[in-house]
Amino acid sequence: MSETEFTTRLESARKDVEACLDRLLGPEPLEGETARPETLMAAIRHGVLNGGKRFRPFLVIETTRLLGGPADAALRVAAALECIHCYSLIHDDLPAMDDDDLRRGRPTVHTAFDEAAAILAGDSLLTLAFDIIADDATGLDPVARLALVSALSRAAGIGGMAGGQALDLAAEKTPPDEAGIVTLQAMKTGALIRFGAEAGAIIAGAGADARARLARFGAVIGLAFQLADDLLDLRADAETMGKATGKDAGRGKGTLVSLHGPAWAERRLTELVAEAEALLSPFGARAATLIAAARFVASREN
Amino acid sequence: MSETEFTTRLESARKDVEACLDRLLGPEPLEGETARPETLMAAIRHGVLNGGKRFRPFLVIETTRLLGGPADAALRVAAALECIHCYSLIHDDLPAMDDDDLRRGRPTVHTAFDEAAAILAGDSLLTLAFDIIADDATGLDPVARLALVSALSRAAGIGGMAGGQALDLAAEKTPPDEAGIVTLQAMKTGALIRFGAEAGAIIAGAGADARARLARFGAVIGLAFQLADDLLDLRADAETMGKATGKDAGRGKGTLVSLHGPAWAERRLTELVAEAEALLSPFGARAATLIAAARFVASREN
């Protein structure tokens, strides 16, 4: 698959996911909700409808398609996953955490609104993600919906993304060794990307083997994503990224790139792409989009 | 039921819930979790195992018992609900929110640890609540577990507790009218208490009528709880509460008590207890504990 074809697919998924998020974040309260406070909704929408690439949702959509699962269910689960990702960005940007004023060139939620609004917007999005998956509108059978709730909560919580952010903040004080960096990154970035790929297998009702294979594919993509990110951090300047860079290094956080150098990182990225391709080889030509996604992640420039 | 008998029941539920929370917040990662970071776990445990009365869990346990549902499932759902309640206290205490250094006479999480730890502890607990309910160990059929995930997410999220906290912060700048106060309180305090009572009906697999009746009972208890709280705020001093009081009034927030006076509030509490009793009258003597709970809420002194 050419890079142009891949970019078209990614863009198409992005539009679908944003339209879905726009609907889910409408002003009307759902059954069981009392009201949707206007300012809170504005803060939430600011933090969600913000020009993201929607890569994690794309993984849900494409892994579901690969396995012949229902596209409408995939779209909703994709939107739920993006709610979790956006909540984590909103909270991570807070002054007490990474203290960023800008994200993708726009004011972060606590800058555009205030810290309380950012905390509550994140809390609301995290809560909403589980509502979206559990809802009958997802159209999946109850066992599949529960499996998604379980897998997403473990990917996002103590032993996944939130725990990874805690380790990341601790790393500023005590630099971790290589094993520590690997654990931190697997939790902070890897767990949610892994879930994105595994979710397709759950949505499609695939067997344990296919689910494990997709999860492994997601984990490999996650490693490549983080490595490419660390390379970018090393190289990019603040203008091209639209956010402060060099910060991770400046704060004394170790990354695998700072430990082994950019040449090692480039070699490792090539290996990871090969591993991702090997994992999807049983699916033949149908896996072309996901293989292109692995290449895209490894070679991205922003 | 005598007050002593009731207090014994409440205390027994409290012990069971704390033992369950202690197990759920253990150091070992679950399947699908990479690790449970030590400092994060300590912050979470500080915010959860903190001497709370566990009134919301008590409602889950007793409404389940009333309808003949499984006690072990009720205990787990009760613990999940308490995770949500504790997350909300941890986040509400943050400097950007209500800015409290003490809770029940002990340092709040951001005081004992730091703000980042408090934000992440709250996020982790919120996420864990859905994990607990969705888990097979809950022992409920998948449809019931999904109904609990849906009801809890709506009670806790944008249109419930989190939205209510947003309205509460806005009320410091623009005092709401009576209807605004009622909406704010129904969301901030009422929604989670209402869920506590409704959850028993879901766990027991009760029909729509019983579920609606229990939910209404929970809403009435929630109103009484808030009214008693506002009365306490008016009367208590900082020593007996173990937290700053008079704060809500001091910040210019209106409550129904400040609007109508304590004598009106006492009359209204009597009405609410009578309404709670009437709602449970079809259950006869079996409802004695829950009726005692309504009286306890209305007359509590801390």
Side-chain angles (χ1 to χ4, degrees), chain A residues 45 47 63-64 76 84 119-120 122 128 138 152 162 181 190 222 240 246 248-249 290:
Chain A
R45 292 177 65 91
T63 51
T64 302
R76 283 181 64 95
I84 299 270
I119 294 165
L120 291 169
L128 182 66
T138 304
L152 182 56
I181 295 171
T240 57
D248 287 352
L290 286 167

Side-chain angles (χ1 to χ4, degrees), chain A residues 34 91 123 131 135 154 159, chain B residues 31 34 91 123 131 135 154 159:
Chain A
T34 303
H91 280 190
D123 294 344
D131 186 352
D135 200 289
R154 295 207 178 162
Chain B
E31 189 191 335
T34 302
H91 279 191
D123 293 345
D131 186 352
D135 200 290
R154 294 204 180 163

Side-chain angles (χ1 to χ4, degrees), chain A residues 30-31 34-35 37 41 87 91 96 115-116 123-124 126-127 130-131 134-135 142 146 149 153-154 158-159 162-163 166 169 187, chain B residues 30-31 34-35 37 41 87 91 96 115-116 120 123-124 126-127 130-131 134-135 142 146 149 153-154 158-159 162-163 169 187:
Chain A
L30 306 177
E31 189 189 337
T34 303
M41 290 310 300
Y87 120 70
H91 280 190
E115 281 186 51
D123 294 344
S124 299
L126 170 50
T127 312
F130 295 105
D131 186 352
D135 200 289
L146 278 181
V149 169
S153 60
R154 295 207 178 162
I158 302 172
L169 293 168
M187 291 169 74
Chain B
L30 306 177
E31 189 191 335
T34 302
M41 290 311 299
Y87 120 70
H91 279 191
E115 281 186 52
L120 290 169
D123 293 345
S124 299
L126 170 51
T127 311
F130 295 107
D131 186 352
D135 200 290
L146 278 181
V149 169
S153 60
R154 294 204 180 163
I158 302 173
L169 293 168
M187 291 169 73

Side-chain angles (χ1 to χ4, degrees), chain A residues 58-241:
Chain A
F58 175 79
L59 282 179
V60 180
I61 290 166
E62 288 297 334
T63 51
T64 302
R65 191 201 308 270
L66 176 72
L67 298 166
D72 45 352
L75 184 58
R76 283 181 64 95
V77 174
L81 175 55
E82 190 67 7
C83 286
I84 299 270
H85 176 56
C86 291
Y87 120 70
S88 78
L89 299 181
I90 295 169
H91 280 190
D92 285 2
D93 285 338
L94 283 165
M97 305 265 257
D98 297 343
D99 194 12
D100 279 311
D101 292 341
L102 292 176
R103 174 159 301 273
R104 300 194 188 100
R106 296 166 72 239
T108 47
V109 175
H110 69 271
T111 311
F113 294 81
D114 59 27
E115 281 186 51
I119 294 165
L120 291 169
D123 294 344
S124 299
L125 281 167
L126 170 50
T127 312
L128 182 66
F130 295 105
D131 186 352
I132 295 169
I133 291 177
D135 200 289
D136 288 341
T138 304
L140 296 171
D141 75 73
V143 173
R145 280 183 268 165
L146 278 181
L148 289 163
V149 169
S150 287
L152 182 56
S153 60
R154 295 207 178 162
I158 302 172
M161 186 185 65
Q165 173 69 358
L167 292 177
D168 201 31
L169 293 168
E172 288 174 24
K173 290 166 197 158
T174 312
D177 59 11
E178 181 158 1
I181 295 171
V182 169
T183 300
L184 184 168
Q185 294 187 339
M187 291 169 74
K188 182 175 173 171
T189 323
L192 224 54
I193 294 175
R194 183 182 185 277
F195 170 82
E198 189 177 9
I202 302 173
I203 293 166
D209 280 1
R211 182 170 164 180
R213 183 173 287 275
L214 267 294
R216 179 75 196 130
F217 169 77
V220 168
I221 294 252
L223 288 171
F225 189 95
Q226 184 64 53
L227 214 50
D229 211 49
D230 292 340
L231 263 175
L232 275 171
D233 255 356
L234 202 75
R235 289 171 178 165
D237 63 343
E239 277 179 359
T240 57
M241 292 284 284

Side-chain angles (χ1 to χ4, degrees), chain B residues 107-133:
Chain B
T108 48
V109 176
H110 69 271
T111 311
F113 294 80
D114 59 26
E115 281 186 52
I119 294 165
L120 290 169
D123 293 345
S124 299
L125 282 166
L126 170 51
T127 311
L128 183 65
F130 295 107
D131 186 352
I132 295 169
I133 291 177

